[in-house]
Amino acid sequence: MYCRICGTKDTQFQISGKYGCEHCVTVFTVPKQSHRLWIPISLLTELEEIFSRSQSKIQILSLRTRLTRNLAHSLFPYYEPMEMEVKQLLDANGYWENWKEGSNSFIVSKEGVGPVYHLYLGSEDHVRLEILRNLDQSYEQFRNSNKTLPTGVSRENSSLLRLFYRRKHWAYRPGFGFISSCPTNMGKGRRDSLLLGIREGVDPRFFSLFEKLSEFGIEIAPSTDHRRESLGNFRGLVVKISWKNAFAVQKRQFYKILGLRGSL
Ligand SMILES: [Zn+2]
């Protein structure tokens, strides 16, 4: 068994776990996502209780949205990084005008205290857009301040987002969504994550509860992202909560606990 477009063989896919092109999704099967939509009220109530009891022990470090895309009708980075073609597409849309020779990342804009938009090339997928909000606030501060956080994005950034959702440019198939190199990222091609700093004395149920959330697409794991990116000065255990292809309704339910409104 092999993909007749890119030539990836079944044995190759078993080892690499990566698609070689968008046609691969029709050749190599992957386990289907769970379709349970609602997080049970009892679980949400328990979670909310844990958060509010541990208010002073939980620091909200950052919020990040990551969009990944591969060019339409192209070999994926497993075979071909397509950096020049991605730069041309971005350039034609008004981004990457000032990219430096040899550089494969580019900060699009820093909106004052708002989020930073950062483009990356040359990784697992052809292009990645990261939108990072550096917060470093206690859970309590965050819940209160969030009500007044500006929710809009600038014109420049919203047109960049539109480019990332314009299907004709990207590997996309009805029924599958945006196709990424790694089958588990496929669908929305989007991953949201939240870094939390956990101080000693947090409600011990905090960790066991998150295991129960994994079936809703919510994962929790220790993280070292903040050290790599020198985010804030938090010293202690840092955990990352992330949503990979979670349904909007699941995210909304969870965001509500954190006092977040709207989409990230
Ligand atoms: Zn293929």
Side-chain angles (χ1 to χ4, degrees):
M1 196 165 69
Y2 72 103
C3 171
R4 62 185 172 80
I5 305 296
C6 69
T8 299
K9 295 189 189 75
D10 186 34
T11 47
Q12 238 177 315
F13 178 71
Q14 298 304 333
I15 295 165
S16 71
K18 303 277 185 283
Y19 289 141
C21 77
E22 59 193 87
H23 185 71
C24 282
V25 293
T26 61
V27 184
F28 309 115
T29 51
V30 289
K32 281 228 164 18
Q33 267 195 73
S34 146
H35 281 273
R36 266 185 82 172
L37 283 181
W38 295 95
I39 302 171
I41 302 293
S42 58
L43 187 54
L44 287 169
T45 312
E46 200 179 352
L47 197 59
E48 194 157 17
E49 194 187 296
I50 291 170
F51 268 86
S52 52
R53 273 196 196 168
S54 302
Q55 279 193 34
S56 60
K57 313 288 183 200
I58 298 174
Q59 188 84 359
I60 312 275
L61 302 177
S62 68
L63 289 166
R64 184 200 309 264
T65 295
R66 181 179 285 182
L67 298 171
T68 52
R69 297 287 184 267
N70 288 299
L71 291 176
H73 318 301
S74 304
L75 291 174
F76 283 8
Y78 185 76
Y79 295 109
E80 188 44 71
M82 308 288 284
E83 287 190 17
M84 192 51 73
E85 290 79 358
V86 176
K87 283 178 180 175
Q88 279 164 358
L89 173 66
L90 293 168
D91 197 20
N93 285 276
Y95 302 96
W96 217 278
E97 305 101 331
N98 303 314
W99 59 272
K100 290 193 193 85
E101 200 65 47
S103 159
N104 61 0
S105 82
F106 183 79
I107 292 181
V108 181
S109 68
K110 285 186 177 183
E111 299 183 336
V113 292
V116 178
Y117 283 61
H118 207 147
L119 286 161
Y120 294 90
L121 273 66
S123 54
E124 191 176 278
D125 295 295
H126 286 144
V127 60
R128 184 170 95 223
L129 171 64
E130 289 200 356
I131 305 164
L132 179 70
R133 287 173 178 81
N134 206 342
L135 295 160
D136 205 9
Q137 290 177 325
S138 72
Y139 172 64
E140 196 176 6
Q141 280 173 324
F142 180 71
R143 274 204 75 135
N144 296 330
S145 69
N146 194 250
K147 292 181 183 85
T148 57
L149 268 184
T151 50
V153 285
S154 72
R155 217 161 140 180
E156 189 195 18
N157 289 335
S158 61
S159 77
L160 180 60
L161 286 172
R162 273 201 302 279
L163 175 65
F164 269 73
Y165 282 97
R166 214 169 290 144
R167 291 173 187 174
K168 65 171 183 176
H169 296 307
W170 312 111
Y172 180 91
R173 266 173 195 247
F176 292 100
F178 291 104
I179 301 166
S180 46
S181 292
C182 184
T184 60
N185 292 330
M186 194 168 65
K188 297 181 178 20
R190 169 178 173 154
R191 185 169 186 147
D192 298 305
S193 62
L194 179 65
L195 283 189
L196 297 181
I198 307 297
R199 293 195 178 84
E200 228 177 294
V202 74
D203 191 318
R205 290 177 300 165
F206 181 86
F207 299 99
S208 59
L209 258 187
F210 280 105
E211 281 169 28
K212 298 182 195 167
L213 286 169
S214 65
E215 68 174 295
F216 303 100
I218 300 173
E219 296 168 18
I220 178 166
S223 170
T224 54
D225 284 8
H226 68 299
R227 295 215 186 97
R228 200 177 61 231
E229 294 164 7
S230 49
L231 295 172
N233 300 310
F234 186 83
R235 297 283 169 266
L237 176 65
V238 174
V239 296
K240 177 153 78 178
I241 299 173
S242 58
W243 298 262
K244 206 197 272 191
N245 287 319
F247 293 98
V249 64
Q250 295 165 349
K251 281 201 278 187
R252 265 202 308 275
Q253 284 181 294
F254 190 82
Y255 288 161
K256 219 177 136 201
I257 293 174
L258 301 172
L260 284 165
R261 277 164 196 81
S263 66
L264 283 175

